Amino acid sequence: MKAFDGEAFGKEVVSVVKDYLERTLSPLAARIEQLEARMVLLEAQAGTAKRRPVVRVAARSGPAT
């Protein structure tokens, strides 16, 4: 009977998880890149420049506690 090799088992588990993530996330990343390229093209056609987002913080109403 062969002894359990925890290190080899751990490497196999990591390999399986990495493979799963690669297969799952690669198509999503490619689609995001396509959409970002399309946004750049549309912004260029519309003549709009990308601006930094404006962050607004709501004023407090009532007394501070």
Side-chain angles (χ1 to χ4, degrees):
M1 183 169 167
K2 188 174 181 181
F4 177 73
D5 185 0
E7 188 172 329
F9 178 75
K11 287 179 182 179
E12 187 173 341
V13 169
V14 168
S15 173
V16 169
V17 170
K18 282 184 177 182
D19 182 52
Y20 171 79
L21 291 175
E22 179 71 25
R23 285 184 287 118
T24 305
L25 298 179
S26 288
L28 295 175
R31 181 69 177 142
I32 289 170
E33 287 177 12
Q34 290 173 349
L35 292 173
E36 287 175 342
R38 179 77 175 144
M39 286 295 297
V40 169
L41 179 65
L42 291 174
E43 287 172 347
Q45 288 176 350
T48 59
K50 259 191 163 177
R51 293 184 219 131
R52 295 183 74 194
V54 176
V55 178
R56 298 172 192 249
V57 178
R60 273 189 143 153
S61 60
T65 49

